[in-house]
Structure formats: C-alpha cells, structure tokens
Amino acid sequence: MKVKFTSALIFFICCFAQAQHAIIPNPVSYLAEKGNFVLTPTTKVFLKNSNSELFQVTNLFFGSFMGKGLKLAKKKPNANSKHIEISLNSIVDEFIGKEGYSLQVNPNAIVLKANTVAGIFYGLQTFDQLLDIDAISKENVTIPACTIKDYPRFVWRGLMLDVSRHFFSTSDVKKYIDWMSKYKFNVLHWHLSDDNGWRIEIKSLPKLTEIGAWRVERFGTFGNREAPSEGEATPYGGFYTQEEIKAILDYASERQITIVPEIDIPGHSMAILAAYPELSTLKEPKMVNPGSNFADWHGDGTFTMKIENSLNPSDEKVYTILDTIFGEVAALFPGQYIHIGGDECYHGYWEKDPGCIALMQKENLKDAKELQSYFIKRVVNIISSKGKKAIGWDEILYGGLPDGAAIMSWRGTKGGIEASKSGHEVVMSPNSFAYLDFTQGDPSVEVPVYANLSLKKAYEFEPAPEGVDPKYILGGQGNLWTEKIPTIEHAFYMTYPRALAIIESVWSPLKNKNWDDFSARVDTHFKRFETAEKPISKAVYDPIVSTKKEGEKMICTLSNDLLDVAIYYTIDGTFPAQYATKYTQPFEIPKGDITFRAVSYRNGKPIGRTLTLSREMLEKRLGK
C-alpha cells in the first residue's frame, strides 16, 4: 500500500521532531533518550577536576539551585548513587570548541563535560532549562533523558544597555546581567555617555560626574520636554564609581560576560560639554539635556543640530582629555574592546569654525566627513596606546576606517559588509532587526516609538548576510536605547522575548533556526520570567490589524505570527470573546463612528491583550 504524505502531515512530523525540548538558544544537536533522571534534594554534584574557577562557577549555579541548593561532593559518589558529574576534558573535544559542552542525562547520572569553564557554565544554563519550571518547587524533579552537543556560532553575543538616557542602579545592571547569562549572551555593551548623562567616574576629571551626570527633572515624552533653564537645579541622574564598576565587572565575569564600555564621541557629547564647554567650537555654556528637542530631523536621515553637542576636532585639549578618559577606562575594563561611538555627528558647527577650517586645509581634508575620520583615527591611536582595540558605530567608516578598528553596523548591514571587505572585524546590529527600543506590538497598546520590531522580525536577524566574509563577523547584538525606558522593569519588558530571538541568531546553527519551533519554545520561557516576577512582553499573542482601500471600501485583515491562535472581533463597541465573530477572512469596516476590538484565543482561553481601535486609528494604518 502506498502512503501519500500531504504537506500538512509532513509539517506536523517536522514540528514534532523539532519540538522535543524548550531550550533557548536551540543547541547544535539534541537527541531524546529513554527514561528520566529524578533530581532530589540529596542529589550530589561531583567535580571530577580540581579547579578553583570550575568550583566557583559550579557553586554559583548549584548554591541556590531549586531554592534550596545542592551540595558539592568531595569524592565521587558510589556507582549506585544517582549524581551529577561535571568535568573539564583532559583531551580537547574539537567538535565543541572553546565555549561548547556536552550534556548527557540518563536515569543514573547527569554528565556535563567541556573544554573550558565557560563551556561548563553554558552547559549548566542548558541543564537549568531542562527542568520543568512548574515542578521546581517540588521535592523531586524529573528530567528527561537526552544527549546534547552544543557550541556557539559566533564569539560576540551581545546586548547593549543605554544608561545615559536613564540611569540604572548597580543592582539593576546586575539583574540585567543575570538574565543575559541564563541565555548564553557573553557581551554587555554598556552605553555610558551621551547627551543626557555621563555615567562613569573619571577621577582626573571630576566635573564629568559633578556636572555631566546630573540634569533637571522632567516628565512627559522624551524628545518633547522643556529645555533646562540656566541656574535650574539638576537632581536627576547618577553615575558609577570606579569601585562600583569593578564590582559589576567581577559580577559579570563570574557569569562569563565581558563588558564593553562606550564613550560616545565626537557627537552625542553634550554631557561632556556641560562639564567642559571649552571643548566645543562655540565654547558656550551648556546643560545636560533632559529629553528636550535640540535637533531638526529632515526625514532622509539627515539632521540639523540647534545646540552644539560635538567635540572640537581641531582643539588639542580635546585629545588630551580623551587620553585621560580612555586611560582610566582602559585601566578599569579588562576586555579588549572600547566602544567610541562615532554615530550621528553633526558637522555644521565644524564647517563654520575657523580652527576646523584651518585644520582641514593643513591636513588636506576635502570635507567634514574626512575631518571626522581624522578625529576617529587619533582616538583609535589613543585607545591602541592603552593596549585596547577600538570599535565604533558604522559612521566611523566616513573618510576611511583606521587600521585595527572594528565596526558595529547599525544602519542595516551595508556598513558591516563594507568593513569586512576591507578586512575589519564586524559586529552586526542592524536597527531593523536588533533595536529593542522599537515597539513590539500594536501601537494602540505600546509606548509610542518611531518604529516597530516584532518578535518574528527579530528572529529573522542574520549576522552573516550574503556579501560578507564570515571570518570577519565577530557576531551580533541587540540594542536597548532608553529614551522611553525609565525603569529596569520596563527594560526587561522591552528586551525580552526579542533578546531570545537575537541569541538564537548568534548561537544556534543557521540550519537549526525555525520560527514555528522557536515560538513554541518561547511559551515555556514566558513561564520562567513569570515565576521570577520579571515582566516581559507577550505582544506576539496579540492580533495584527492592517487595513487597505478597495475602491471606497476599507478592508480589514487580522493575523497572528503563531500557528494555533484564533482571533475574535467586534465592530459594535462591545468586548469580544470566543462567542463573538471569529476571524476567517478580510472584512469591510462599515461607515460610521465605530469602535473595533479584537482579541486572540488559544485552546478556548484568551491570550494577549484586547485591542481597541477607533475608525480614525484604522484609517491611519491604510496601506501600511
């Protein structure tokens, strides 16, 4: 008898094969085995190697495991005793590399091996995800038997946290690091300076924190706030002392995370200029910006600054101060990279300044872009003199990229591709896939921002696109700008679950990526965040509402990025439920002052949020 496999059946079989676990990021290989390991409060953890760093990582993980902690055994448990065995390979396993691991779970033992302590750490995070979150509070926890081999695709797996627009305490930063480490991120890009605040103590330049770390207090929409007045009190802000930074660095290192500090120059420097106005071309007194508008954007990516916020590239005192700043930064941060910003630098004030004009003539620079390149090259040399590598946003390509500098490509991937062709290292962070401050659901229920990035779109992020030499791609990261993110709670809401999409793009093999499988696994991780009382977005459950014109008619289409979601709607102002109209096909929005509502259901229960849209709101999205 011949069996005819329909596409639906094949799809079901593929999904079943993939949905064996809920691990994020998806490991290189996962093989389900027979049986289970039963974890109890008396289960012993045995370290096969004598290694202080290995002990620290293992003790950090198991010390508070399951809310109780498991004891590390001083000698190997006997053969009949169920246990967890952890060891560093005596012979290097080339397959898993530097950061990979192998994890085997069988009814008698759990065995975790790696070539390095970092690999052990990542294997422990995977082990944690094998536990059913609903069962962790129980005495005994059943773990399904399996064999996992895993290693990362890229060496740079990052998130950027902007602490200039809003200051986050050391405790907040540590919370952010905690959750990064759970998902195998290994770089925290720390945006420590901008127009809205200077956040790092530089002992040789105390005005940076005495003045640059503080601003007037304002409420309302960031970007439309009242400008500060001369002499007004500046109670809002804060900074990290060098001792606090050392503590955060130690905390991150224990969790296998390197912190890359960013000092954003030559633009985005109003906080520096508030402290040292003589470093600008106009040398006018300034105040740290509280979120007031000081630029006109022209809709094509160009802009005009109404207040100078750039350092003067023709003033030698600028380079002397930067040498001091980067000297102290380099001494603090053990990682090899320092981020120098370089983005959105307005050249208008330079082009009118006699000193800059004279410098351009002296150095035979044809335009302000080449003047910016002159500035960047000098800063790169300063950083190189401190034994570090410079990395900057893709605008540092203007006028020619200095030798040894790396690029972080944010305006799409074009800059990263160009830099890689010149032999420069690249971190991909394109705003259309990796900007975590963009709204992630319907604009009617989100804090309004100028662009949208859904979870599904974030999952499409590919750090090594066509046209790039993969050997120059360090990896990728998601960026969290905090203009509209004043609290750590909202930072979590905006970061997750989209950061889970980012990590799967930079850790998992490309062939292992599958949206339907990933979105099913995300469901389990919503529970993990809920259990830890961390508010994250569930916008992926919400209906997607779009409208278009057909003649004089307005036609509405409803959709969702998930497979098993039903959408119910009303157009009479009442609240929908599963007894309302179930969406099956596009429909006409009738004329009149209507109120449209829609809600998603799964398995007969409402999920996500109820969307409420007026006719005017529906008309505004025509054709979008």
Side-chain angles (χ1 to χ4, degrees):
M1 181 179 70
K2 292 183 178 180
V3 180
K4 183 178 181 181
F5 286 92
T6 66
S7 59
L9 180 57
I10 292 172
F11 175 79
F12 174 80
I13 292 171
C14 290
C15 284
F16 180 78
Q18 291 168 341
Q20 298 178 75
H21 63 78
I23 301 166
I24 295 178
N26 203 1
V28 172
S29 68
Y30 176 96
L31 179 64
E33 309 280 9
K34 291 183 179 179
N36 301 287
F37 181 92
V38 180
L39 191 68
T40 74
T42 59
T43 300
K44 295 291 190 299
V45 181
F46 171 63
L47 300 186
K48 197 172 179 180
N49 309 85
S50 178
N51 181 305
S52 60
E53 190 181 358
L54 179 63
F55 175 84
Q56 181 185 42
V57 162
T58 310
N59 195 50
L60 177 70
F61 181 80
F62 285 109
S64 58
F65 190 69
M66 297 171 61
K68 309 177 188 68
L70 295 179
K71 293 183 178 180
L72 302 188
K74 294 183 179 180
K75 60 181 182 179
K76 185 175 182 178
N78 61 54
N80 296 324
S81 173
K82 294 183 179 181
H83 64 280
I84 299 169
E85 182 175 302
I86 297 172
S87 65
L88 294 172
N89 292 320
S90 55
I91 300 175
V92 173
D93 183 343
E94 299 290 349
F95 181 79
I96 61 175
K98 185 177 180 181
E99 295 182 286
Y101 62 91
S102 65
L103 178 63
Q104 187 170 33
V105 180
N106 63 53
N108 296 314
I110 295 174
V111 179
L112 172 61
K113 296 180 180 180
N115 296 322
T116 65
V117 172
I120 294 295
F121 182 88
Y122 297 132
L124 290 172
Q125 309 317 307
T126 294
F127 168 67
D128 186 46
Q129 291 187 30
L130 291 174
L131 277 65
D132 182 350
I133 196 69
D134 292 328
I136 284 182
S137 60
K138 298 178 181 178
E139 279 290 297
N140 300 331
V141 180
T142 299
I143 304 172
C146 61
T147 298
I148 297 172
K149 287 270 192 176
D150 198 15
Y151 55 85
R153 184 181 174 201
F154 294 101
V155 298
W156 186 300
R157 306 179 299 278
L159 289 178
M160 188 214 73
L161 179 62
D162 168 18
V163 295
S164 173
R165 272 53 178 243
H166 285 99
F167 178 70
F168 295 89
S169 69
T170 56
S171 174
D172 288 341
V173 174
K174 288 178 179 179
K175 290 174 186 175
Y176 203 76
I177 288 169
D178 280 338
W179 285 87
M180 287 179 64
S181 68
K182 290 177 186 293
Y183 291 103
K184 306 183 179 78
F185 285 101
N186 68 342
V187 175
L188 173 63
H189 171 182
W190 208 4
H191 188 79
L192 289 165
S193 77
D194 213 296
D195 297 313
N196 315 106
W198 179 275
R199 304 300 181 209
I200 174 173
E201 178 189 24
I202 303 297
K203 293 184 177 181
S204 303
L205 299 165
K207 285 185 181 180
L208 285 172
T209 47
E210 290 171 0
I211 298 172
W214 305 95
R215 65 187 191 229
V216 300
E217 189 164 29
R218 293 286 188 269
F219 298 95
T221 304
F222 200 99
N224 293 311
R225 295 174 177 174
E226 181 184 353
S229 301
E230 186 177 350
E232 189 176 357
T234 56
Y236 183 87
F239 64 93
Y240 308 100
T241 67
Q242 292 197 6
E243 289 306 308
E244 288 173 327
I245 288 173
K246 289 175 184 176
I248 290 172
L249 287 166
D250 288 344
Y251 191 86
S253 179
E254 289 174 353
R255 290 153 182 80
Q256 305 302 312
I257 289 174
T258 298
I259 297 181
V260 174
E262 180 182 356
I263 305 299
D264 199 351
I265 51 173
H268 288 281
S269 294
M270 197 174 294
I272 303 176
L273 298 178
Y276 299 98
E278 65 272 19
L279 301 180
S280 65
T281 64
L282 297 178
K283 307 186 188 311
E284 296 174 340
K286 290 180 176 61
M287 296 182 72
V288 178
N289 185 270
S292 53
N293 181 16
F294 61 98
D296 290 327
W297 289 85
H298 307 308
D300 59 355
T302 63
F303 56 95
T304 302
M305 284 292 175
K306 295 181 280 189
I307 302 175
E308 187 177 17
N309 74 332
S310 296
L311 301 175
N312 180 358
S314 69
D315 189 343
E316 285 300 313
K317 286 181 290 188
V318 168
Y319 301 104
T320 300
I321 281 186
L322 291 178
D323 185 81
T324 299
I325 290 171
F326 286 118
E328 292 196 27
V329 170
L332 266 177
F333 290 84
Q336 63 177 320
Y337 292 96
I338 293 176
H339 203 296
I340 60 173
D343 62 313
E344 297 177 334
C345 179
Y346 178 62
H347 299 150
Y349 294 97
W350 295 358
E351 291 167 343
K352 298 175 183 178
D353 178 66
C356 289
I357 293 170
L359 177 62
M360 291 173 66
Q361 292 173 345
K362 177 185 175 184
E363 297 292 335
N364 196 27
L365 306 174
K366 67 180 181 181
D367 57 25
K369 285 188 175 181
E370 289 196 358
L371 179 57
Q372 180 171 333
S373 178
Y374 168 88
F375 174 90
I376 293 296
K377 287 173 182 176
R378 291 199 59 176
V379 171
V380 169
N381 287 337
I382 288 171
I383 289 172
S384 297
S385 73
K386 313 302 179 188
K388 303 292 184 180
K389 291 183 179 180
I391 184 170
W393 302 110
D394 54 65
E395 286 97 328
I396 71 171
L397 285 164
Y398 290 161
L401 189 61
D403 292 339
I407 283 291
M408 188 167 283
S409 190
W410 74 275
R411 297 177 301 171
T413 58
K414 182 180 178 182
I417 293 172
E418 179 184 339
S420 71
K421 288 180 176 178
S422 301
H424 290 270
E425 294 177 328
V426 174
V427 176
M428 289 294 190
S429 188
N431 57 359
S432 55
F433 297 98
Y435 267 38
L436 305 179
D437 55 311
F438 290 0
T439 58
Q440 49 200 318
D442 194 275
S444 66
V445 288
E446 296 284 348
V447 176
V449 183
Y450 58 91
N452 183 268
L453 174 62
S454 68
L455 177 62
K456 187 174 184 180
K457 180 73 171 177
Y459 194 69
E460 294 169 6
F461 174 42
E462 172 46 46
E466 289 186 16
V468 69
D469 187 338
K471 75 178 182 180
Y472 293 112
I473 305 301
L474 294 174
Q477 72 177 34
N479 296 330
L480 188 69
W481 303 103
T482 60
E483 285 93 332
K484 299 191 177 184
I485 303 175
T487 66
I488 191 63
E489 288 77 17
H490 196 54
F492 274 102
Y493 175 87
M494 297 301 291
T495 302
Y496 296 96
R498 290 179 296 185
L500 305 184
I502 299 294
I503 193 60
E504 193 137 306
S505 294
V506 293
W507 178 284
S508 304
L510 184 58
K511 65 181 178 61
N512 283 16
K513 287 187 67 178
N514 178 284
W515 164 252
D516 293 324
D517 177 50
F518 170 76
S519 59
R521 284 181 279 126
V522 165
D523 257 350
T524 299
H525 292 264
F526 283 141
K527 292 182 181 178
R528 300 181 75 86
F529 281 92
E530 286 174 4
T531 301
E533 298 182 346
K534 289 288 179 292
I536 70 170
S537 173
K538 295 184 179 179
V540 68
Y541 291 142
D542 297 343
I544 300 170
V545 183
S546 58
T547 58
K548 66 178 180 178
K549 275 282 190 182
E550 288 187 2
E552 295 301 313
K553 297 179 180 179
M554 179 164 57
I555 305 299
C556 182
T557 299
L558 305 180
S559 61
N560 186 274
D561 287 332
L562 306 177
L563 287 175
D564 55 349
V565 171
I567 302 173
Y568 296 87
Y569 69 94
T570 64
I571 53 176
D572 58 7
T574 61
F575 285 86
Q578 70 266 43
Y579 309 110
T581 303
K582 182 178 181 180
Y583 178 79
T584 57
Q585 61 184 18
F587 58 92
E588 180 182 0
I589 298 292
K591 294 181 179 179
D593 184 20
I594 67 120
T595 298
F596 167 84
R597 289 191 172 96
V599 65
S600 300
Y601 270 71
R602 173 187 277 166
N603 299 326
K605 295 182 179 180
I607 56 174
R609 299 164 290 190
T610 298
L611 305 185
T612 301
L613 305 174
S614 66
R615 182 180 188 85
E616 181 183 8
M617 294 166 73
L618 291 167
E619 288 175 342
K620 282 183 177 179
R621 56 184 74 188
L622 280 170
K624 292 185 178 180

